[in-house]
């Protein structure tokens, strides 16, 4: 697909003004674009680096139109915008990303059905429309399985791990409130992710394979390059190729994968936007995931490949980590510290991240892990 190439100085409208919007805006401004951001939070991080701020709800059609009228292109930083409102915007304004990816991927059920249709490897799953459907999960998948809400979950929110029959009541009450899916709980060896950008005329640019570790289901650290056998990167790229035959993507997105103890690769989920596990690219690569996103949506050519300038360890900084570490920032010029500028600090809220570039990942990881020790005490 081909779309318009914007002149430098054009205006980019971003729906959502969190840290992803902020880092997108910073890339855009580096390249000479103007930025307008729409967000319901009066104190959202992106507004401080934007030329204009529309303070309105994501479903405020009037405000969305105002954004459209003032922008040469519209993008978004997250997947929970209404697909039908996005469709309305697509019909009136320049939204090269379209609405299909959002529509398919904001619902875990249609996401899984699409991944199935694309013949990617995914964990067996069952649709749960009502509590009694859990019997189906017990029969078809067996314990342990994990129940996830179809809509709105992030950082492990809206999930119940059903290890055995004693967890069924908890799962039932979740399904009673919201439609869910159940999927087999895999015995994981590792989690990895692949960040990809699609540009004009379907140009594809891959970032290096990323290795991710979660704590309490929130991303804790990312290490690049991923420490897997050499074929895994190619396998992951092959899965992405199958996916993009079924979903129209423009810009940066990330596919999260599981590797189980039998060394099999499974697609977990897709984020149709820049992703936390790609943040290391700001310092460690010749183009960041935000740079390539802005190049893509403004219709410019992408770099053919992304060069990893140095191996990297990226650690998220939750509120609890800031409490633990902020006094040490001044003594660590080797930590590339990013603070998003959110006004309210909460212990499990992502407040920033830091990236260390290193020739000795094992050593750097060890030093950092010592610093982060005690975060859940
Ligand atoms: P979110 O939208 O919250 O990121 P995910 O489906 O990615 O939801 O789940 C969050 C984390 O929970 C995963 O990164 C993984 O660590 C764990 N997890 C989720 N599903 C499974 C599964 N089927 N098997 C094993 N671990 C899982
Ligand atoms: Mg995830």
């Amino acid at each position: 697909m081909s779309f318009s190439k914007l002149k430098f100085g054009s205006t980019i409208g971003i729906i959502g003004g969190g840290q992803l919007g902020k880092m997108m805006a910073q890339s855009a401004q580096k390249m000479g674009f103007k930025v307008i951001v729409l967000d319901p939070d009066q104190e959202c991080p992106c507004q401080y680096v934007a030329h204009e701020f529309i303070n309105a709800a994501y479903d405020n059609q009037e405000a969305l139109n105002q954004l459209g009228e003032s922008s040469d292109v519209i993008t978004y930083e997250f997947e929970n915008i209404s697909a039908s409102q996005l469709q309305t915007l697509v019909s009136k304004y320049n939204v090269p990303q379209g609405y299909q990816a959002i529509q398919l991927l904001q619902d875990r059920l249609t996401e899984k059905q699409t991944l199935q249709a694309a013949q990617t490897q995914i964990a067996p799953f069952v649709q749960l429309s009502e509590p009694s459907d859990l019997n189906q999960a017990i029969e078809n998948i067996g314990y342990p399985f994990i129940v996830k809400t179809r809509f709105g979950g992030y950082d492990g929110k809206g999930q119940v791990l059903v290890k055995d029959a004693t967890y069924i009541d908890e799962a039932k009450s979740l399904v009673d409130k919201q439609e869910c899916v159940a999927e087999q709980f895999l015995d994981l060896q590792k989690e990895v992710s692949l960040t990809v950008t699609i540009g004009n005329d379907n140009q594809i640019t891959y970032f290096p394979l990323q290795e991710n570790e979660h704590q309490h289901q929130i991303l804790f650290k990312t290490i690049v390059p991923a420490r897997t056998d050499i074929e895994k990167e190619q396998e992951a790229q092959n899965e992405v190729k199958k996916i993009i035959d079924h979903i129209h993507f423009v810009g940066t997105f990330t596919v999260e994968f599981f590797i189980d103890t039998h060394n099999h690769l499974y697609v977990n989920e897709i984020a149709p936007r820049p992703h936390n596990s790609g943040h290391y690219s700001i310092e460690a690569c010749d183009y960041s995931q935000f740079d390539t996103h802005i190049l893509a949506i403004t219709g410019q050519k992408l770099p053919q490949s992304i060069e990893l300038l140095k191996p990297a360890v990226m650690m998220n900084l939750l509120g609890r980590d800031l409490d633990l570490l902020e006094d040490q920032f001044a003594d660590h010029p080797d930590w590339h510290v990013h603070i998003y500028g959110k006004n309210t600090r909460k212990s499990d809220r992502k407040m920033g991240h830091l990236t260390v570039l290193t020739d000795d990942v094992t050593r750097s990881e060890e030093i950092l892990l010592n610093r982060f020790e005690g975060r859940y005490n």
Side-chain angles (χ1 to χ4, degrees):
M1 197 189 122
S2 197
F3 43 89
S4 42
K5 191 189 276 184
L6 298 188
K7 289 202 172 66
F8 288 95
S10 303
T11 300
I12 300 172
I14 305 177
I15 304 172
Q19 65 265 27
L20 301 177
K22 180 184 177 188
M23 289 184 273
M24 262 186 215
Q26 288 173 323
S27 279
Q29 296 205 341
K30 179 173 77 178
M31 298 178 206
F33 294 107
K34 295 196 180 77
V35 172
I36 307 183
V37 62
L38 182 150
D39 195 284
D41 177 3
Q42 249 181 29
E43 293 171 344
C44 73
C46 183
Q47 61 160 309
Y48 303 111
V49 298
H51 289 79
E52 220 181 289
F53 175 40
I54 301 173
N55 186 205
Y58 298 126
D59 60 357
N60 180 333
Q61 191 65 55
E62 210 177 308
L64 288 168
N65 286 340
Q66 189 192 334
L67 184 75
E69 292 300 327
S70 317
S71 306
D72 297 299
V73 63
I74 291 183
T75 187
Y76 46 80
E77 65 145 15
F78 73 120
E79 56 264 56
N80 292 323
I81 0 163
S82 128
S84 69
Q85 272 174 324
L86 191 59
Q87 190 174 1
T88 307
L89 287 184
V90 171
S91 67
K92 292 202 264 190
Y93 306 110
N94 178 27
V95 191
Q97 289 167 277
Y99 65 92
Q100 188 215 17
I102 287 286
Q103 192 174 45
L104 290 174
L105 299 177
Q106 66 186 191
D107 176 354
R108 280 193 206 271
L109 180 64
T110 54
E111 179 179 32
K112 286 182 186 303
Q113 288 165 338
T114 308
L115 288 168
Q116 208 169 32
Q119 298 188 321
T120 62
Q121 172 105 324
I122 57 171
F125 71 96
V126 162
Q127 176 178 356
L128 304 173
S129 304
E130 46 190 281
S132 62
D133 292 338
L134 281 160
N135 294 327
Q136 214 65 51
I138 299 166
E139 256 172 55
N140 296 4
I141 306 173
Y143 299 115
F145 59 86
I146 182 161
V147 175
K148 303 179 180 180
T149 56
R150 282 176 58 177
F151 295 94
Y154 68 98
D155 289 343
K157 291 187 176 62
Q159 301 192 2
V160 175
L161 172 58
V162 184
K163 292 186 195 151
D164 55 44
T166 59
Y167 294 85
I168 286 292
D169 281 346
E170 196 187 337
K172 273 189 177 157
S173 70
L174 182 65
V175 184
D176 201 29
K177 284 189 231 112
Q178 289 183 63
E179 287 203 30
C180 291
V181 291
E183 71 184 55
Q184 186 183 356
F185 191 71
L186 301 168
D187 198 2
L188 298 187
Q189 178 202 127
K190 226 177 237 305
E191 292 187 66
V192 294
S193 60
L194 190 62
T195 296
V196 185
T197 306
I198 311 265
N200 231 340
D201 302 318
N202 298 320
Q203 197 192 343
I204 308 177
T205 298
Y206 295 103
F207 284 79
L209 192 66
Q210 298 136 195
E211 173 181 335
N212 305 320
E213 188 187 310
H214 296 76
Q215 281 192 2
H216 296 250
Q217 285 163 304
I218 305 174
L219 185 66
F220 173 53
K221 68 169 189 266
T222 296
I223 287 180
V224 189
R227 295 164 295 189
T228 60
D229 54 68
I230 196 91
E231 299 84 35
K232 279 287 171 289
E233 182 158 26
Q234 189 59 53
E235 272 182 54
Q237 289 186 4
N238 290 344
E239 295 298 284
V240 167
K241 284 193 194 113
K242 293 183 204 166
I243 293 168
I244 58 185
D245 282 341
H246 281 73
I247 303 177
H248 165 76
F249 280 110
V250 167
T252 294
F253 66 99
T254 291
V255 181
E256 295 178 14
F257 295 92
F258 297 135
I259 301 176
D260 74 0
T261 44
H262 304 290
N263 210 24
H264 290 146
L265 186 75
Y266 294 82
V267 175
N268 170 23
E269 61 172 353
I270 307 168
R273 51 167 171 78
H275 188 260
N276 197 168
S277 65
H279 290 355
Y280 72 93
S281 61
I282 296 175
E283 285 91 8
C285 296
D286 54 350
Y287 290 83
S288 79
Q289 60 166 346
F290 302 99
D291 295 339
T292 53
H293 182 72
I294 298 298
L295 291 175
I297 60 157
T298 56
Q300 301 171 68
K301 249 202 191 126
L302 300 179
Q304 271 203 326
S305 59
I306 299 295
E307 196 182 337
L308 182 68
L309 305 169
K310 223 169 193 199
V313 183
M314 189 284 305
M315 311 282 303
N316 264 339
L317 295 169
L318 306 181
R320 63 177 73 247
D321 302 315
L322 283 191
D323 292 345
L324 207 62
L325 292 171
E326 67 187 329
D327 290 346
Q328 301 177 33
F329 290 165
D331 298 323
H332 288 276
D334 57 320
W335 298 355
H336 295 268
V337 176
H338 294 245
I339 299 294
Y340 304 143
K342 297 178 185 177
N343 265 0
T344 314
R345 183 184 298 192
K346 292 186 197 149
S347 59
D348 279 336
R349 191 174 193 202
K350 291 175 183 169
M351 305 301 293
H353 71 267
L354 63 83
T355 300
V356 171
L357 306 181
T358 173
D359 287 320
D360 188 345
V361 163
T362 311
R363 180 84 190 113
S364 298
E365 188 188 9
E366 202 178 271
I367 293 170
L368 281 168
L369 288 184
N370 270 329
R371 300 277 168 185
F372 278 76
E373 205 166 295
R375 66 199 300 257
Y376 280 104
N377 287 348

